[in-house]
């Protein structure tokens, strides 16, 4: 029987920013340095109805210093063109292939900061400047899958040609997520524009949060990132778009975490990397920030950071609980604590969502799965006193296919650095949970997540977050 009312009156606060607002995104890609940029574009275009793509720029990187491959982006768009009509049977808003083709641009066909400066603008850098100057109040995300020198050129030009006030206002719109540092432009950007909103695991590849997309979780079932899973769920027998998804070479989709948290799934709030999401979780660290891997595989050597950056945060999760619904944590479960866990904890959900969207490219609506719609019975922000009971409910959630739903509420304890999770109201498999606020000596925020998973094939998950402020 669902709870009809909250156990005690609670104060509602202003709601969170609407998580369904589409984010603006420009991608910089060293496509063809590694097959995985093509993999990431396939996945990105499947979500192009939920993210406003404003640029697709071919660049270099430390792995490919003298060539760019915009034609490879066009080749992926050509495959997308074959399936865009069918995708549009499942959700509205998929851009036309011509719209995507019009976004393809080029950076310098050369490496790093040596090609940044006066007279070195490119179609790619100009596109970034135009997007920054567009009269749009939303932030502008730059997702950097290779080198960052095209972004550096755009900001160089802004700095040289606009007044300091205008430059500051334009740069404040930027939200940058780079996959480590794949040329020497990232360090220059962070040093030259210390106010930049910048998400990065500085330096090489050894310790990037983003590696959670493809690294093996020790002791857990890693089936959904295996070549066999990709063959059976993406590449073989799922139409022309899945068929262009290349085999894994160095690692599956190392660049994908640079846009995953922009998918409006109810979990992420892109302006709060510390709240976590499909792309992982990051905290704002102030100097001194050590380079995570100064001499790592990427070969880019980075000086110590001099300003705050959003970077690796340690998360913990229990793979068995993430995978098996109906299980609360038991003392025998192995808990993993790792800077990649903020992504690992969602990885099966991410992969199932990808597989479902590949089905959207070929099947009618009635023969494919679509994610549930999570609805909270109450507000998504509450204030309660120590010892007060409060109720959180997602009982009104629905599924567009009529699928049955499973519910998993949990306290995301790393957010706000809680020593112990608030578990007193959590039971497995119920849509409504009844907590008693712990005693605090000063106001503290606790984030509760509900993960709602349908019983379709593959099972799909969506989320809601409730932020509870607990006062003494
Ligand atoms: Ca890349
Ligand atoms: Ca469904």
């Amino acid at each position: 029987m669902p709870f009809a009312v909250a156990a005690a009156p609670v104060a509602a606060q202003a709601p969170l920013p609407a998580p369904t607002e589409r984010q603006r995104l420009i991608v910089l890609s060293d496509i063809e340095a590694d097959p995985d940029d093509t993999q990431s574009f396939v996945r990105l275009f499947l979500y192009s109805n939920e993210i406003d793509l404003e640029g697709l720029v071919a660049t270099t990187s430390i792995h490919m210093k003298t060539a760019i491959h915009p034609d490879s982006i066009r080749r992926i768009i050509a495959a997308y063109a074959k399936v865009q009509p069918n995708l549009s049977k499942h959700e509205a808003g998929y851009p036309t292939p011509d719209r995507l083709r019009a976004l393809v641009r080029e950076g310098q066909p050369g490496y790093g900061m040596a090609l940044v400066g006066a007279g070195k603008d490119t179609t790619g850098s100009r596109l970034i400047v135009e997007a920054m100057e567009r009269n749009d109040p939303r932030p502008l995300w730059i997702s950097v899958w290779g080198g960052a020198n095209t972004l550096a050129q755009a900001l160089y030009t802004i700095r040289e040609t606009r007044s300091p006030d205008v430059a500051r206002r334009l740069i404040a719109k930027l939200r940058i997520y780079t996959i480590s540092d794949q040329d020497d432009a990232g360090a220059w950007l962070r040093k030259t524009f210390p106010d930049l909103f910048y998400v990065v695991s500085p330096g090489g590849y050894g310790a990037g949060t983003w590696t959670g997309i493809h690294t093996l979780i020790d002791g857990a079932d890693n089936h959904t990132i295996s070549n066999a899973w990709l063959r059976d769920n993406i590449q073989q027998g799922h139409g022309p778009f899945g068929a262009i998804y290349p085999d894994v070479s160095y690692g599956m989709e190392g660049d994908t975490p640079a846009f995953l948290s922009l998918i409006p799934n109810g979990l992420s709030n892109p302006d709060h990397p510390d709240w976590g999401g499909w792309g992982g979780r990051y905290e704002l660290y102030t100097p001194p920030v050590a380079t995570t891997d100064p001499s790592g595989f990427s070969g880019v050597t980075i000086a110590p950071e001099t300003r705050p950056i959003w970077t690796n945060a340690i998360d913990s999760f229990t793979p068995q609980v993430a995978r098996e619904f109906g299980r609360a944590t038991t003392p025998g479960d192995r808990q993993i604590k790792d800077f990649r866990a903020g992504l690992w904890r969602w990885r099966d959900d991410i992969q199932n969502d990808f597989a479902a969207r590949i089905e959207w490219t070929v099947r009618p609506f009635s023969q494919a799965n679509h994610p549930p719609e999570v609805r909270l019975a109450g507000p998504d922000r509450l204030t309660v006193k120590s010892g007060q009971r409060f109720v959180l409910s997602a009982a009104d959630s629905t599924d567009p296919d009529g699928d049955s739903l499973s519910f998993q509420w949990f306290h995301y304890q790393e957010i706000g650095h809680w020593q112990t999770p608030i578990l007193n109201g959590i039971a497995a498999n119920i849509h409504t949970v009844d907590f008693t606020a712990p005693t605090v000596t000063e106001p503290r925020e606790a984030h509760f997540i509900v993960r709602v998973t349908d019983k379709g094939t593959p099972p799909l998950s969506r989320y809601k977050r409730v932020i509870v402020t607990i006062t003494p």
Side-chain angles (χ1 to χ4, degrees):
M1 188 187 75
F3 293 87
V5 292
V10 290
Q13 296 179 337
L16 299 177
T20 50
E21 179 177 83
R22 288 148 60 112
Q23 301 290 326
R24 307 171 64 200
L25 175 64
I26 293 174
V27 172
L28 310 184
S29 167
D30 63 335
I31 186 165
E32 303 303 356
D34 176 334
D36 74 342
D37 289 64
T38 296
Q39 296 176 335
S40 293
F41 272 118
V42 169
R43 190 187 302 252
L44 174 64
F45 289 167
L46 294 173
Y47 293 93
S48 59
N49 64 322
E50 297 191 282
I51 298 171
D52 280 343
L53 296 177
E54 297 199 8
L56 308 167
V57 184
T59 71
T60 58
S61 71
I62 187 124
H63 310 295
M64 190 178 69
K65 288 183 165 180
T66 58
I68 55 172
H69 293 283
D71 285 349
S72 296
I73 302 175
R74 295 189 186 97
R75 184 180 60 83
I76 302 164
I77 296 170
Y80 169 83
K82 296 176 187 166
V83 300
Q84 189 265 358
N86 210 72
L87 281 168
S88 301
K89 296 175 183 171
H90 295 267
E91 279 187 5
Y94 279 99
T96 64
D98 282 344
R99 161 77 189 150
L100 292 185
R101 279 187 202 101
L103 300 177
V104 178
R105 295 290 192 284
E106 301 179 8
Q108 287 282 358
Y111 177 73
M113 290 303 296
L115 288 170
V116 172
K120 293 192 167 66
D121 289 335
T122 57
T123 60
S125 70
R126 287 193 196 99
L127 172 123
I128 294 171
V129 172
E130 287 163 16
M132 290 170 71
E133 294 192 312
R134 199 162 292 140
N135 185 20
D136 189 321
R138 295 174 296 169
L140 175 64
W141 282 87
I142 312 287
S143 183
V144 184
W145 305 1
N149 67 346
T150 309
L151 174 62
Q153 179 64 35
L155 294 200
Y156 171 89
T157 296
I158 292 269
R159 186 185 66 172
E160 296 298 309
T161 59
R162 276 43 167 197
S163 71
D165 278 355
V166 169
R168 201 174 303 117
R169 180 174 57 77
L170 296 178
I171 288 167
K173 288 184 172 185
L174 292 178
R175 306 284 185 272
I176 297 159
Y177 184 134
T178 70
I179 297 299
S180 292
D181 286 301
Q182 298 186 53
D183 67 7
D184 54 358
W188 181 83
L189 283 162
R190 299 196 289 274
K191 183 160 168 263
T192 309
F193 303 97
D195 297 333
L196 274 178
F197 184 112
Y198 211 105
V199 184
V200 63
S201 306
Y205 294 167
T209 296
W210 56 268
T211 63
I213 193 75
H214 61 222
T215 41
L216 296 179
I217 308 170
D218 185 30
D221 183 341
N222 292 284
H223 175 63
T224 60
I225 61 158
S226 67
N227 283 321
W229 187 93
L230 292 170
R231 178 195 66 211
D232 295 342
N233 292 278
I234 306 296
Q235 295 171 308
Q236 180 86 4
H238 303 278
F241 202 49
I244 67 160
Y245 188 90
D247 283 345
V248 172
S249 179
Y250 301 101
M252 186 195 83
E253 292 192 53
D255 299 313
T256 290
F259 69 84
L260 272 182
S261 287
L262 305 183
I263 296 167
N265 58 15
L267 178 63
S268 314
N269 183 315
D271 272 342
H272 288 279
D274 51 329
W275 290 3
W278 277 5
R281 201 174 70 80
Y282 306 83
E283 291 183 350
L284 191 65
Y285 286 90
T286 50
V289 182
T291 59
T292 50
D293 186 22
S295 60
F297 172 72
S298 87
V300 176
T301 304
I302 297 299
E305 299 296 325
T306 55
R307 37 67 52 90
I309 51 169
W310 293 97
T311 193
N312 293 359
I314 304 284
D315 246 29
S316 55
F317 90 122
T318 307
Q320 296 91 331
V321 175
R323 185 170 286 257
E324 298 169 36
F325 268 97
R327 256 171 115 281
T329 307
T330 60
D333 287 335
R334 201 172 66 83
Q335 194 186 54
I336 292 177
K337 277 188 120 151
D338 196 284
F339 60 88
R340 295 165 293 186
L343 195 154
W344 278 344
R345 65 192 311 149
W346 315 115
R347 196 165 71 186
D348 287 345
D349 294 354
I350 294 165
Q351 290 298 82
N352 285 333
D353 221 71
F354 183 30
R357 291 207 175 211
I358 283 289
E359 293 302 302
W360 293 6
T361 67
V362 288
R363 292 174 182 259
F365 189 94
S366 62
Q367 291 177 27
N369 197 16
H370 306 84
E373 291 165 17
V374 187
R375 291 199 189 95
L376 296 173
D380 58 9
R381 275 188 188 254
L382 303 174
T383 297
V384 300
K385 285 186 168 18
S386 294
Q388 188 178 348
R389 286 177 64 213
F390 61 97
V391 171
L392 305 178
S393 175
D396 297 336
S397 301
T398 58
D399 185 87
D401 314 298
D403 295 322
S404 299
L405 300 175
S406 296
F407 298 84
Q408 186 179 42
W409 278 100
F410 69 99
H411 171 213
Y412 201 149
Q413 75 177 97
E414 284 82 5
I415 304 167
H417 297 275
W418 291 80
Q419 290 296 314
T420 52
I422 302 166
L423 296 172
N424 58 51
I426 293 184
N429 282 336
I430 53 176
H431 50 60
T432 302
V433 289
D434 181 359
F435 294 96
T436 301
T439 299
V440 296
T441 54
E442 56 186 41
R444 295 189 69 184
E445 283 188 348
H447 287 229
F448 293 87
I449 308 290
V450 62
R451 172 182 176 229
V452 179
T453 303
D454 70 16
K455 292 185 170 64
T457 303
L460 299 178
S461 298
R462 286 294 180 271
Y463 319 83
K464 285 287 187 193
R465 176 188 305 265
V466 181
I467 301 176
V468 179
T469 302
I470 302 170
T471 61

